[in-house]
């Protein structure tokens, strides 16, 4: 099964495609959409949507895994994050792929075995699980972790 | 010129199409997308996107006016509102119509002449300006007010 993991953010949205064959998980492709810069906020949000639609259409994942966020530093950053996360959800829905949401605690427990793991620990474990040579940015590794978490859950 | 005004909300998203001919503004169509209920949150967000795309494709407005929100009661409601507002922005961008954002203060000043007007006052003035017989819900009248505000601004 091929799963797209997404870590939405108003500045950087990470994504990663993880394939599971038997008990082996492999990263097929991973990257991030940078939406910072001088362009208007609504163009940045549209770019997240467009980029994820392109990734989905190209790689044809069967399902999407995304972090279920219910806390944020403040209302202003939560509002911005909501736009980015909405863009990811609409991209998946428009492409007809099913969406699975996991709390940060579930993802960290599933990947590192410890719910309060740091982002760096999540990256290190994701690299080991996927046997990655490349060290991705933290947004991308968080996206890969969401995909790994989903593939771990669907095992049962 | 035909303008689509949108008032996004995670439960109800209002929209209204206002046509300006000479100095006369007319409401062509208005309504709301209810996205509450038992369906998963991501389906509700996708429904906002789909409904607005349908409205845009059917009525072919030239521009969209939407409230520029930077404050919210709390982070949780801001995150949800962000998803809904993102859905509206992506719908407009996908349909290739330009987006104009106005602060609540600008909209209220433009429609009622007073920046601290209540939603009910905004509705009453929108009804008078558009010569409406029908009394719309507050989400829909807020959307109409955004369109009126934009048409007032573009006059100059």
């Amino acid at each position: 099964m091929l799963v797209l993991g997404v870590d939405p953010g108003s500045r950087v949205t990470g994504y990663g495609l993880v394939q599971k064959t038997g008990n082996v998980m492999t990263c097929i492709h991973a990257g991030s959409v940078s939406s910072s810069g001088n362009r208007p906020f609504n163009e940045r949000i549209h770019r997240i949507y467009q980029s994820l639609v392109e990734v989905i259409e190209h790689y044809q994942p069967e399902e999407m895994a995304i972090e279920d966020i219910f806390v944020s530093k403040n209302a202003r950053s939560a509002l911005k994050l909501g736009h980015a996360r909405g863009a990811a959800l609409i991209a998946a829905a428009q492409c007809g792929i099913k969406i699975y949401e996991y709390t940060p605690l579930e993802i960290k427990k599933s990947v590192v075995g410890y719910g309060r793991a740091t982002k760096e620990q999540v990256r290190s474990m994701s690299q080991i699980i996927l046997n990655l040579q490349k060290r991705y940015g933290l947004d991308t590794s968080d996206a890969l972790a969401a995909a790994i978490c989903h593939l771990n859950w669907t095992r049962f």
Side-chain angles (χ1 to χ4, degrees), chain A:
Chain A
M1 192 200 296
L2 181 61
V3 170
L4 171 67
V6 175
D7 179 52
S10 59
R11 297 201 157 269
V12 180
T13 292
Y15 63 87
L17 288 138
V18 179
Q19 171 93 57
K20 190 175 180 183
T21 314
N23 279 322
V24 180
M25 291 193 210
T26 321
C27 173
I28 301 299
H29 175 67
S32 60
V33 187
S34 169
S35 48
S36 57
N38 292 328
R39 286 177 310 163
F41 182 66
N42 60 58
E43 284 181 22
R44 284 150 52 190
I45 295 303
H46 188 219
R47 188 163 136 71
I48 295 170
Y49 168 82
Q50 282 180 312
S51 303
L52 291 180
V53 166
E54 276 172 29
V55 167
I56 295 168
E57 286 180 347
H58 186 80
Y59 291 96
Q60 303 272 326
E62 290 149 85
E63 292 168 352
M64 181 174 97
I66 189 167
E67 221 177 78
D68 190 3
I69 319 152
F70 281 109
V71 272
S72 191
K73 271 169 261 170
N74 59 59
R76 194 178 172 135
S77 65
L79 183 69
K80 286 190 173 180
L81 177 60
H83 283 73
R85 195 169 179 276
L89 296 180
I90 296 168
Q94 274 299 105
C95 295
I97 69 171
K98 216 171 167 189
I99 300 158
Y100 292 85
E101 296 169 89
Y102 296 94
T103 64
L105 190 88
E106 285 170 329
I107 295 173
K108 287 172 179 180
K109 265 196 171 174
S110 178
V111 175
V112 186
Y114 170 59
R116 294 196 174 275
T118 63
K119 276 178 171 282
E120 287 76 11
Q121 288 174 313
V122 169
R123 175 163 64 186
S124 299
M125 276 308 293
S126 300
Q127 278 191 271
I128 294 168
I129 292 167
L130 299 172
N131 196 23
L132 289 176
Q133 306 305 313
K134 192 176 165 184
R135 192 162 167 271
Y136 286 106
L138 291 170
D139 303 284
T140 305
S141 59
D142 266 2
L144 288 168
I148 294 168
C149 170
H150 178 57
L151 285 165
N152 279 339
W153 273 88
T154 49
R155 197 171 39 163
F156 303 108

